[in-house]
Amino acid sequence: MNLTAATRLAGVVGHPIAHSLSPVLHNTWLEAAGLDGAYLAFSVAPGRFAAFVDGFRGGSLAGLNVTLPFKTDALAAADHVSGRAQAAGAANLLLFRQDGTVAADNTDGEGLLYAFARQAPGFRPDRGPAVFFGAGGAARGAAATFLAAGCPEVRIVNRTRARAEALSTALGGAIRIFDLADAADALDGAAAIINASSAGLDEAAAPPPDLTAAPAHAVVMDMTYRPLRTPFLLAGAARGLVTVDGLDMLIGQAMPAFEAFFGQRPPAGCDVRGRVLQILGDAE
């Protein structure tokens, strides 16, 4: 990679950040497209995010993808906020304008729907209730996306009822809350069952929920991609349900960001998923 004064720069910010696969995605696309650009990773100490963003006002950096723990900080740091970032209560994309202002957006929902389209062709959010395990920021953004896409009802299953109620208040719309003990009731007639929580990633620490009550047409999705086949997805596959992993969500949310940073969509035919799977040591 030969960096020059004309090289267009973008990056991802988080803490920690060494695990991020975003540089792999964007730099793979840049290389395939033959663009003069580079994508970097930035680790910022908690409490220093706003100062970090202010340092790039004016456009020395095209923009940033934002990951944990700074997605809500990114929303607060922006001068202009998109409707979907406002609905999600968080931003995963910041764009630096030449006039010194910062625009915030959230492409996580776009990535979520991309993953469903890739791995569950024919799925439509408006065909039935969506069940979300977890009530954090990831669940809020995903639930907002499903509601906007016509989902008739969102059901939140969470250990802490107060947190689920806060999510319901923030989103409005057709939302029902279920305790973990009532998860089977939440699954009744569900079209989509989505893990938006860290629970269930480590089967020894927190086994996945019982999906016996899930209808045969339900699609099971886990928003994480490490490991690629989580206990949550394995439980869905054991029930014979269609499953969707989180890697395509990561790719799907990165595609509009790449276009915003570098002025064009990622090149068609570039097997960025295969590149990531090599790094993760997984095979399909």
Side-chain angles (χ1 to χ4, degrees), residues 11-184:
V12 60
V13 57
H15 184 81
I17 199 62
H19 67 286
S20 176
L21 292 173
S22 291
V24 177
L25 300 180
H26 288 268
N27 287 316
T28 296
W29 286 328
L30 285 169
E31 182 180 3
L35 296 176
D36 184 10
Y39 187 94
L40 311 171
F42 300 95
S43 178
V44 174
R48 298 297 302 163
F49 182 80
F52 174 78
V53 170
D54 285 342
F56 291 113
R57 289 180 179 271
S60 56
L61 202 68
L64 288 166
N65 286 121
V66 183
T67 189
L68 297 176
F70 299 125
K71 288 189 176 185
T72 54
D73 296 282
L75 198 68
D79 304 291
H80 308 283
V81 177
S82 71
R84 57 189 183 181
Q86 194 70 53
N92 75 329
L93 176 62
L94 292 178
L95 300 175
F96 297 100
R97 297 175 174 173
Q98 294 296 322
D99 64 1
T101 61
V102 179
D105 197 2
N106 192 308
T107 64
D108 282 335
E110 194 169 338
L112 181 71
L113 296 180
Y114 172 86
F116 271 84
R118 289 268 297 175
Q119 299 184 37
F123 172 82
R124 286 174 43 183
D126 61 356
R127 287 184 173 169
V131 180
F132 291 89
F133 284 86
R140 174 172 168 172
T145 295
F146 265 69
L147 289 171
C151 179
E153 182 177 79
V154 164
R155 301 170 181 173
I156 304 296
V157 183
N158 197 57
R159 283 189 176 86
T160 308
R161 191 172 184 87
R163 193 170 188 184
E165 289 173 346
L167 185 152
S168 178
T169 300
L171 288 180
I175 297 180
R176 293 174 63 192
I177 299 170
F178 293 80
D179 296 324
L180 280 177
D182 301 320

Side-chain angles (χ1 to χ4, degrees), residues 116 123 125 128-132 146 186-187 189-194 215 217-221:
F116 271 84
F123 172 82
V131 180
F132 291 89
F146 265 69
L187 298 179
I193 305 168
I194 300 169
H217 65 268
V219 178
V220 175
M221 193 257 187

